Amino acid sequence: MSHNGAGRVSDAGAVGGPVAGAAGAGAAEDNLVRSWGRVRAALRVESGERNFDTWLAPLALLGADGDQVRLAAPTAFLADWVASHFADKLRQHWAAQRPGTRHVAVAVQAGMTATPVAATPAAVRAAIATAAAISPAAMAISLPVESRYSFDNFIVGKSNELAYNAAQAVAEPGPVGFNPLFLHGTTGLGKTHLMHAIGNAFLAEKPDAKVAYMSAEKFMVEFLAALRAKDTIAFKQRLRSVDLLMIDDVQFIAGKESTQEEFFHTMNEIISAGKRLVITADRSPQNLEGIQERILSRMAWGLVADINAADYELRLNILHAKLAGMSQNVVVPAEVIEFLARKITANVRELEGALNRVVAYAALVNQPVTLEFTRETLADLLRAHEKKLTIDEIQRKVAEYYHLKMTDLLSARRAREVARPRQVAMYLAKRLTPRSLPEIGRRFGGRDHTTVMHAVKRIEELRVADREIDADVAHLTRLLDA
Ligand SMILES: Nc1ncnc2c1ncn2[C@@H]1O[C@H](COP(=O)(O)OP(=O)(O)OP(=O)(O)O)[C@@H](O)[C@H]1O
């Protein structure tokens, strides 16, 4: 895919750039955030909800200077896509908001969360609200929760059931046995999802309640802005008047002393007033470094629930649920779902992203989703997850599968019942490992590289002509988890 038009892809500007960073609360940045809100609103209408959510919602505003606006995308794929499909629109809408804008650069910002602070729908809604002459200060408590995250579409398994049950308890009216609720787990395992689900369920029970959700980074940015504007009293009052306060990714304030001071007092006031507090972090309180002891012990007073990596069964259930919720009419065979669940193990965000990518691409190029199509579409992602398969493992599995001894497989015997499995093993070694033909030859009893080449060719032909061999190879590939 080419980086045409707006895709003057540059290095990612720092997250601490003019908009997303702590120092970015000035009037110019406010204007920029408001413009971004309007650009996004226009794009949402123009492109349709589905396209917008898939391709444009994950973008974050990094900043602007001269004739250029800088955006960030969480993956290279998305950056490419946006550059090649939305370049003109982005440029056109930005130029309308910010005269003189001639380029919109989309940078890849690895590790960026799906909803960076400067571009969460909440921030955008708040930005639009601000544009409609609500004072920026009102943003602090008016950050709405996202309706698309609910308890209903959170899939429960062993790794997250404690967190899920605790979250439900916090959302129910009536007394809660613990406060705060502290949810922790590594990235992309559903902490933010659960927070929004709490907010939605709480508001469903008590529509007049005041609910605030914000990232710890946003807490800091707003607090520092209030400090600068000598308006901290209003900041404190706004935040402490809520019925349910949720602070996401609290590890962000590690080492930020004045913010921690304020955070500690906010926590205390909320808890002692009997309001609910939910906090998330990427690790447990005892493993958070750079956070004041008194904050840690306050957190540990409540309920600390961890979310662990999803196991295979949960990954499978999540994929089925996400697929059922998709609007595209694309058939995804069970073997593809199983393949994704087997391969993408680290976090749910990535799992969901992989499924979206395959489905969106299949719809775009009008092709059926097959295992091969999935492998090709996700080649970069899968490479990163590849476990190092060795020739030795392949030989063992093949020998076992065909009920042969290893010594036979590696011997000089040419009888068909040994020679064919040997060719299959060579073929798999070539396809599934980065080893060269001469090296594979050496590992198969010192054979020449032309023998290996011949074996690979032969099996390729047989896979087309002989169903049984094709099924054997497919089965072995699965057994090898490749
Ligand atoms: N159990 C689950 N069921 C359904 N969807 C899930 C589940 N767990 C995670 N997800 C989805 O995975 C994506 C990432 O989750 P989320 O943003 O909540 O992660 P997180 O733990 O807050 O990550 P980070 O620490 O990076 O902010 C979301 O789209 C969320 O809906």
Side-chain angles (χ1 to χ4, degrees):
M1 241 170 274
S2 65
H3 300 291
N4 56 13
R8 283 201 352 187
V9 176
S10 62
D11 286 344
V15 176
V19 171
E29 284 83 10
D30 277 348
N31 279 338
L32 202 60
V33 172
R34 277 198 284 272
S35 298
W36 180 219
R38 292 197 203 98
V39 169
R40 284 167 56 96
L43 287 169
R44 184 188 285 275
V45 173
E46 230 176 29
S47 322
E49 204 71 23
R50 186 85 219 164
N51 271 330
F52 181 87
D53 284 350
T54 309
W55 306 114
L56 299 164
L59 299 178
L61 175 61
L62 289 176
D65 35 79
D67 63 356
Q68 190 183 66
V69 171
R70 287 178 291 116
L71 304 178
T75 62
F77 180 80
L78 201 98
D80 266 337
W81 194 285
V82 169
S84 54
H85 292 78
F86 296 98
D88 289 339
K89 284 190 171 154
L90 273 167
R91 196 169 36 227
Q92 182 193 326
H93 287 301
W94 266 111
Q97 294 300 325
R98 186 177 172 275
T101 301
R102 302 204 9 233
H103 304 286
V104 179
V106 184
V108 182
Q109 194 160 293
M112 161 181 156
T113 58
T115 50
V117 66
T120 58
V124 171
R125 277 195 288 274
I128 295 169
T130 332
I134 298 172
S135 99
M139 283 167 72
I141 58 158
S142 64
L143 290 176
V145 288
E146 286 190 41
S147 56
R148 69 191 160 116
Y149 293 134
S150 67
F151 284 125
D152 287 344
N153 62 19
F154 189 86
I155 313 301
V156 187
K158 278 197 288 294
S159 55
N160 60 20
E161 70 181 339
L162 173 63
Y164 178 83
N165 290 337
Q168 279 202 317
V170 173
E172 274 162 24
V176 185
F178 51 86
N179 202 16
L181 169 60
F182 185 97
L183 298 175
H184 69 94
T186 54
T187 187
L189 294 182
K191 301 183 296 294
T192 305
H193 185 135
L194 276 180
M195 274 196 158
H196 286 286
I198 295 172
N200 284 317
F202 192 72
L203 282 170
E205 290 288 342
K206 287 174 130 191
D208 299 331
K210 282 192 196 161
V211 173
Y213 161 84
M214 66 169 70
S215 64
E217 183 182 8
K218 179 124 190 117
F219 179 93
M220 184 180 89
V221 168
E222 300 215 348
F223 172 63
L224 295 180
L227 262 186
R228 260 203 308 277
K230 303 199 171 29
D231 194 18
T232 51
I233 293 179
F235 175 84
K236 289 177 205 291
Q237 280 171 349
R238 278 194 307 273
L239 219 54
R240 294 171 195 181
S241 67
V242 302
D243 301 299
L244 166 62
L245 175 63
M246 299 184 285
I247 306 281
D248 209 353
D249 287 326
V250 79
Q251 74 277 357
F252 185 85
I253 61 169
K256 317 267 169 43
E257 291 305 323
S258 62
T259 302
Q260 287 193 32
E261 181 78 25
E262 182 58 27
F263 184 74
F264 176 70
H265 293 302
T266 305
M267 275 181 92
N268 270 342
E269 298 246 349
I270 293 272
I271 294 171
S272 57
K275 313 288 184 60
R276 292 160 206 229
L277 178 64
V278 182
I279 299 166
T280 74
D282 63 356
R283 64 203 81 170
S284 66
Q286 61 273 30
N287 289 321
L288 277 173
E289 280 165 20
I291 302 271
Q292 295 169 7
E293 197 48 48
R294 55 185 184 160
I295 296 182
L296 296 179
S297 59
R298 255 295 191 192
M299 286 170 178
W301 273 7
L303 180 71
V304 177
D306 59 350
I307 306 186
N308 293 302
D311 59 17
Y312 176 73
E313 194 190 338
L314 180 57
R315 296 199 295 273
L316 215 51
N317 290 342
I318 289 174
L319 285 169
H320 281 297
K322 300 281 174 190
L323 190 62
M326 280 183 175
S327 61
Q328 286 103 326
N329 204 8
V330 173
V331 176
V332 181
E335 65 168 358
V336 168
I337 296 282
E338 285 159 17
F339 174 77
L340 293 176
R342 223 159 5 92
K343 285 291 173 182
I344 302 172
T345 56
N347 79 61
V348 179
R349 179 179 296 123
E350 210 167 84
L351 190 67
E352 191 179 354
L355 178 69
N356 285 342
R357 204 163 131 182
V358 169
V359 168
Y361 193 54
L364 189 86
V365 297
N366 203 12
Q367 278 194 31
V369 176
T370 60
L371 204 50
E372 215 47 46
F373 178 87
T374 305
R375 277 186 207 278
E376 276 166 27
T377 308
L378 301 179
D380 54 342
L381 186 69
L382 294 171
R383 248 196 311 280
H385 287 267
E386 224 159 61
K387 76 171 175 93
K388 300 279 172 281
L389 193 59
T390 62
I391 293 180
D392 194 55
E393 274 173 87
I394 292 174
Q395 290 170 336
R396 274 176 209 291
K397 268 283 179 281
V398 171
E400 193 185 324
Y401 184 75
Y402 288 104
H403 306 292
L404 295 175
K405 291 202 200 85
M406 273 288 265
T407 44
D408 284 334
L409 196 74
L410 305 185
S411 72
R413 280 182 58 200
R414 284 160 172 255
R416 165 75 69 88
E417 69 272 17
V418 183
R420 188 70 82 226
R422 188 184 298 130
Q423 287 179 326
V424 167
M426 288 179 181
Y427 166 86
L428 290 172
K430 182 66 200 136
R431 267 202 60 199
L432 305 178
T433 76
R435 304 287 161 228
S436 66
L437 294 172
E439 191 170 353
I440 295 172
R442 270 198 302 279
R443 302 287 299 276
F444 278 82
R447 287 176 160 80
D448 191 68
H449 77 276
T450 52
T451 311
V452 183
M453 208 155 67
H454 172 73
V456 173
K457 231 176 117 219
R458 186 78 192 115
I459 299 301
E460 267 165 8
E461 287 162 5
L462 285 173
R463 284 198 76 176
V464 179
D466 184 335
R467 273 184 162 190
E468 205 175 316
I469 293 270
D470 187 51
D472 282 352
V473 171
H475 193 76
L476 276 162
T477 307
R478 268 200 297 279
L479 284 178
L480 288 161
D481 202 19

